[in-house]
Amino acid sequence: MSPTAEVSNTLNAGALPTVTATPARRAVFPFTAIVGQEEMKLALLLNVIDPKIGGVMIMGDRGTGKSTTIRALTDLLPEIEVVADDPFNSHPSDPDLMSDEVRDRTLSQTDIKIARKKVQMVDLPLGATEDRVCGTIDIEKALSEGVKAFEPGLLAKANRGILYVDEVNLLDDHLVDVLLDSAASGWNTVEREGISIRHPAKFILIGSGNPEEGELRPQLLDRFGMHAEIRTVKDPNLRVEIVEQRSSFDQNPVEFLAKYQREQDEMQQKLVEAQERLKSVTIDRELRVKISQVCAELDVDGLRGDLVTNRAAKAFTALECRTEVTVDDIRRVMTLCLRHRLRKDPLESIDSGYKVTKVFDRVFGLETTEG
């Protein structure tokens, strides 16, 4: 199965529904009404179009709308088809997105009931234990009754959805390793006393944090596909606009959502079309070589930076309703993909984003356009 088909199955199975505010569902601030923080919004959208980019690490000041934006994005996404009453949100027809039990039922041609549900956003609390995250096996029941008694964890709930870890830089390193391994492999395996259970765990991993509270280890930071830096808005007029938007939403959520309904529908449709278009997007070999040259000159370890930049550039091109990657497309995403992969020099005061841009301009021959 192609990566695009997997993306489509993961976040866009079935017909496009209309996003509406209903009394049964808590009103969520609309994604299209969020003012500013363009870098963070772009990184999130690109990961929705191609989850293989590998997630987003968002670092910035407190109170800058990180959680609000991520919840808004989740609410914007189309509903997905799942196997009814399945704790892993298994896909009804894609074997790569099924639990072993559902796959066995499919092979035996047992009738499977299909349901539709919103894409889940799972919040991982800082105090979560490994059992809460990965799930637990009831050893006593397994030994006495001969059945694999498994209590699913947060990774099961997050399958085919979004897993959000606020203040990820304060999370235990071991748990971060578990999350990153599951996000990379798409599976979660739990082993206890010789009993092993696995289930699909394909999700978009989004972490956020405040640099003042501590940095992630470089080895872990490198595992996130993109890194967005956000800052508190300084422009007084823009700050007033943000406050007014939030006040209007809090006073009358239904009316505020109705005001942005058309924009929400258009954005949702744009994402769905971009997911479909992704399989047709091409990038010239010469541009790929220059991407790798930038990574080499920046002394980026490994090839993850090259891969992520190629994928992100294609996703951005698909979002822009085109099928041929341009130099400008690469420029728009390269800083997001590489700034967190640079080796840190304690004596160096240059911002990592500036370094990436400077080398990009030289390699792509854009230095003459400046100054």
Side-chain angles (χ1 to χ4, degrees), residues 137-270:
I137 299 174
D138 188 334
I139 300 298
E140 185 177 341
K141 187 174 183 180
L143 294 176
S144 61
E145 301 179 21
V147 295
K148 292 185 177 181
F150 180 62
E151 180 66 33
L154 295 177
L155 292 180
K157 188 177 179 183
N159 185 40
R160 302 176 67 204
I162 292 175
L163 182 63
Y164 175 49
V165 188
D166 192 14
E167 297 181 321
V168 67
N169 44 341
L170 301 182
L171 195 65
D172 181 73
D173 282 348
H174 173 64
L175 274 184
V176 176
D177 276 326
V178 169
L179 297 179
L180 292 170
D181 287 342
S182 294
S185 68
W187 289 89
N188 173 47
T189 303
V190 181
E191 295 183 348
R192 298 286 188 278
E193 306 295 335
I195 300 173
S196 179
I197 292 177
R198 72 167 197 160
H199 66 78
K202 292 181 183 288
F203 52 82
I204 298 172
L205 179 62
I206 301 173
S208 69
N210 185 345
E212 296 176 0
E213 295 169 349
E215 294 282 351
L216 270 179
R217 288 189 287 119
Q219 300 94 317
L220 298 181
L221 196 56
D222 178 67
R223 298 279 293 276
F224 283 90
M226 307 182 90
H227 184 284
E229 292 184 354
I230 56 177
R231 295 286 178 263
T232 302
V233 175
K234 301 298 183 184
D235 181 9
N237 292 319
L238 201 54
R239 291 173 74 112
V240 169
E241 184 181 349
I242 294 170
V243 171
E244 288 176 345
Q245 288 278 78
R246 186 71 214 189
S247 297
S248 298
F249 173 76
D250 291 339
Q251 288 173 8
N252 195 333
V254 175
E255 182 181 314
F256 190 86
L257 288 170
K259 178 182 174 183
Y260 284 90
Q261 186 64 61
R262 182 176 177 180
E263 292 180 39
Q264 289 283 99
D265 290 342
E266 288 175 351
M267 177 59 78
Q268 189 186 75
Q269 183 67 38
K270 188 175 182 180

Side-chain angles (χ1 to χ4, degrees), residues 350 353-363 367 370:
I350 299 176
Y354 173 76
K355 267 185 84 172
V356 173
T357 302
K358 186 177 179 181
V359 173
F360 176 91
D361 286 348
R362 184 172 70 251
V363 171
E367 284 183 318
E370 300 179 1

Side-chain angles (χ1 to χ4, degrees), residues 45 55 61 112 121 123 126 145 155 167 197 209 225 249 251 253 258 266 270 272 276-277 288 294 314 326 349 370:
L45 290 174
D61 304 327
I112 292 177
M121 173 186 144
D123 259 313
L126 273 181
E145 301 179 21
L155 292 180
E167 297 181 321
I197 292 177
F249 173 76
Q251 288 173 8
E266 288 175 351
K270 188 175 182 180
V272 171
E276 290 299 316
R277 190 180 298 109
R288 295 200 301 270
V294 172
K314 286 184 175 182
T326 67
S349 60
E370 300 179 1

